[in-house]
Amino acid sequence: MSSPDPAGRAPDGEARASRPAGVWPPLLLAIVLEVSATLSLRAVSTGGSWWWLCVIVLGYGGSFWLLGVVLTRGMPVGVAYGIWSAIGVALTALAAAALFAEALSPLSLVGLGVIIAGVLLAELGTRHARGGSGDAS
């Protein structure tokens, strides 16, 4: 006899048919922390204060911990990691262009759009494979 898992889902995975609203806040915060840590790497590499190292450690540590929270709440690892990494790449590239005057060409912007489109297709694909619409009903 099986019991619900720690996230409260039924043993047959029925609750996976839709994303609980509770996965999005920690996922978005994980993305913000990861982007902050990555940008802090750039700040340290250009001779910034050692305080940026604290941001790096806390940012990456917190980001991975929150990604674990998202997985515990039922989001598939491929989808969670895809969203986390794609949005992270896009935000990091845009923020680096704004903060550090790094080049961001029109072709780079198209590439970022393709990455994000790929993640959206992966998310839709997992919903289709489960037979659900992804509605939170």
Side-chain angles (χ1 to χ4, degrees), residues 116-126:
I116 292 170
V119 169
L120 291 174
L121 289 172
E123 166 67 4
L124 292 173
T126 60

Side-chain angles (χ1 to χ4, degrees), residues 1-71:
M1 181 184 277
S2 57
S3 61
D5 70 9
R9 292 181 303 270
D12 62 1
E14 183 178 322
R16 290 185 184 260
S18 65
R19 300 274 181 267
V23 300
W24 295 106
L27 182 57
L28 295 175
L29 183 55
I31 293 166
V32 168
L33 288 175
E34 189 268 336
V35 169
S36 299
T38 302
L39 294 171
S40 296
L41 283 171
R42 177 71 156 93
V44 167
S45 73
T46 58
S49 168
W50 67 272
W51 283 102
W52 289 112
L53 293 173
C54 295
V55 176
I56 293 167
V57 171
L58 293 173
Y60 283 131
S63 182
F64 281 109
W65 177 74
L66 286 166
L67 187 59
V69 169
V70 169
L71 299 177

